[in-house]
Amino acid sequence: MSSVDIVLSGLFVSALRSATPLLFALLGECLTQRAGRINLGVEGQMLVGAAAGYGATALTGSPWLGLLAGALAGALLSLVYALLTVPAAANPFASGLAVWMLGFGLSAYAGTALVGLRIEGFEPLAWGLTPSIVLALALVPLIGLWLYRTRTGLRWRAVGESPETARAAGITPWVVIVSAIAVGGLLSGLGGAALSVDYTRTWAEGMTAGRGLVAVGLVIVARWNPWLALPAALLFGAAEALSLRLQTTDSAISAHLLHTLPYLTSLAVFAVTCLRLGARRGDGGAPAGLKAVFDR
């Protein structure tokens, strides 16, 4: 088999596997920002989800319970961000960084007991897809339809546009905002669990490697639209899958440089998107309520 065949064979499935943890987090942060909050703590939520998910899977032998434990851990940590930014009205960016650091510390502490443990993970389904990949793909249309075709989704979008107007319409903004933050935390924790339980099937401190921050940036690339979250996540997934395939060939490029490929790709697309939005002097579909976050 030639080098080209090695690189291209199964690249799409590999891209999906790599993109799945990020897709969960991206969908969650998209919902959070739709309600008018930017949570930089996604990275920490993914880390506690990865640790809790891996630990639960090692303890019970069930990857499904691992995903559930990871999702709950992410949701619980996100409530710290909700507490800081809603009743305490703290700066959302500083609060997000605090949650990130808290998640990193908690996962590192709990993860010391997980080093060396082995898990089985999910059995592949058709075409090499796993249940976590199928779940992530199914969530894209489900969340998209819910956000744009239901009354509850309309309420969330109304709060993200203007909490004052939503309050005048009989909506309680803080309930929607806290719910959006918690759902975002649940999905980012689920993404962390998918990373440790299904994608890598191992635990390592800081294993998310910046995926949470990438998810926050890619929300802009996806135009705050769940339907566009999949192609945005696939940008990262395809670049990472390609970098891993290139490392198995006789590539003259350093492996350390190849590791940066998915991040450089995401950064380049993010920069181009921001430049295009700036040139058009538009918000690209951003909720109007996000502007208030930058005014604090």
Side-chain angles (χ1 to χ4, degrees):
M1 183 179 290
S2 68
S3 297
V4 175
D5 292 333
I6 293 175
V7 171
L8 295 180
S9 62
L11 185 60
F12 182 68
V13 174
S14 297
L16 274 176
R17 292 187 69 246
S18 176
T20 294
L22 181 65
L23 180 57
F24 282 121
L26 179 53
L27 288 170
E29 180 62 12
C30 183
L31 290 176
T32 300
Q33 292 195 25
R34 269 292 177 183
R37 287 292 188 276
I38 299 177
N39 185 2
L40 296 181
V42 173
E43 184 84 4
Q45 293 163 187
M46 289 188 74
L47 281 169
V48 296
Y54 194 83
T57 303
L59 182 65
T60 66
S62 170
W64 285 110
L65 290 178
L67 293 184
L68 178 60
L72 292 176
L76 286 174
L77 184 58
S78 72
L79 293 180
V80 176
Y81 176 80
L83 180 65
L84 290 172
T85 58
V86 179
N91 182 280
F93 296 110
S95 300
L97 291 175
V99 169
W100 176 11
M101 292 296 101
L102 179 59
F104 184 88
L106 289 173
S107 63
Y109 176 76
T112 55
L114 305 177
V115 177
L117 295 181
R118 302 291 181 184
I119 63 171
E120 293 299 325
F122 289 108
E123 289 293 329
L125 305 174
W127 305 296
L129 302 180
T130 61
S132 65
I133 297 175
V134 175
L135 177 60
L137 293 176
L139 282 177
V140 173
L142 287 175
I143 292 176
L145 290 172
W146 174 83
L147 188 62
Y148 294 109
R149 293 291 184 268
T150 67
R151 292 177 62 87
T152 308
L154 176 61
R155 292 190 185 99
W156 280 39
R157 289 187 287 122
V159 171
E161 292 297 329
S162 173
E164 293 76 17
T165 303
R167 187 180 295 108
I171 301 170
T172 307
W174 75 264
V175 173
V176 172
I177 293 170
V178 171
S179 299
I181 292 171
V183 172
L186 185 145
L187 288 173
S188 58
L190 183 57
L195 179 66
S196 64
V197 171
D198 191 27
Y199 183 48
T200 65
R201 299 192 182 188
T202 188
W203 161 257
E205 184 178 323
M207 66 182 300
T208 51
R211 284 176 171 82
L213 288 178
V214 171
V216 175
L218 287 183
V219 172
I220 298 175
V221 176
R223 307 296 176 88
W224 294 269
N225 187 339
W227 291 100
L228 299 178
L230 177 57
L234 277 175
L235 287 171
F236 182 93
E240 183 172 56
L242 180 61
S243 71
L244 293 175
R245 293 300 176 100
L246 288 173
Q247 291 176 50
T248 65
T249 66
D250 296 328
S251 174
I253 305 175
S254 168
H256 298 291
L257 290 177
L258 289 174
H259 279 308
T260 68
L261 182 60
Y263 303 94
L264 290 176
T265 302
S266 301
L267 180 61
V269 174
F270 173 76
V272 170
T273 301
C274 290
L275 288 173
R276 291 183 65 184
L277 291 177
R280 296 176 181 177
R281 295 185 179 182
D283 55 18
L290 285 180
K291 297 177 182 177
V293 175
F294 294 94
D295 293 336
R296 293 189 180 184

